[in-house]
């Protein structure tokens, strides 16, 4: 009986030590540093991409395509029989002007 009790205590101590032992810590240190200056750069499209974006939006007969000082493209095009003035932003999104 005493032998079984002693065995149970030893077993409980061993299991408890294993369960309560701290998890090993990683020895790798990850250094993360934010850049001193973050610069957001907008995508830039050329005249070919601007015209393609206009045509992909359902317009036809694109003319007068010029780049504005703010980086957008401006053009005249037709949708159906209506002539419209359009703006294409630096991401290629087409909107009526």
């Amino acid at each position: 009986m005493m032998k079984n009790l002693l065995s149970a205590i030893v077993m409980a101590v061993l299991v408890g030590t294993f369960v309560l032992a701290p998890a090993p810590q990683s020895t790798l240190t990850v250094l993360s540093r934010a850049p001193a200056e973050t610069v957001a750069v907008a995508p830039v499209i050329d005249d070919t991409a601007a015209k393609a974006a206009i045509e992909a939006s359902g317009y036809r007969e694109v003319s007068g395509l010029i780049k504005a000082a703010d980086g957008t493209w401006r053009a005249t095009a037709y949708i159906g029989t209506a002539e419209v003035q359009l703006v294409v932003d630096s991401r290629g999104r087409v909107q009526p002007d």
Side-chain angles (χ1 to χ4, degrees):
M1 173 101 160
M2 198 63 145
K3 188 173 184 179
N4 287 341
L5 180 60
L6 184 58
S7 294
I9 291 172
V10 169
M11 192 63 104
V13 169
L14 289 175
V15 169
T17 303
F18 177 74
V19 171
L20 297 176
Q25 298 295 320
S26 174
T27 58
L28 296 177
T29 303
V30 178
L31 298 176
S32 176
R33 197 174 96 173
E37 186 177 319
T38 303
V39 178
V41 177
V44 178
I45 63 171
D46 61 5
D47 59 340
T48 305
K51 184 175 180 182
I54 293 170
E55 291 171 341
S57 296
Y59 297 93
R60 59 183 176 75
E61 296 183 39
V62 179
S63 63
L65 188 62
I66 58 166
K67 188 170 187 175
D70 62 359
T72 60
W73 289 89
R74 305 212 181 263
T76 303
Y78 285 88
I79 184 92
T81 59
E83 183 179 84
V84 291
Q85 302 295 316
L86 301 170
V87 176
V88 181
D89 69 12
S90 62
R91 295 187 184 272
R93 293 178 292 211
V94 179
Q95 298 177 347
D97 191 12

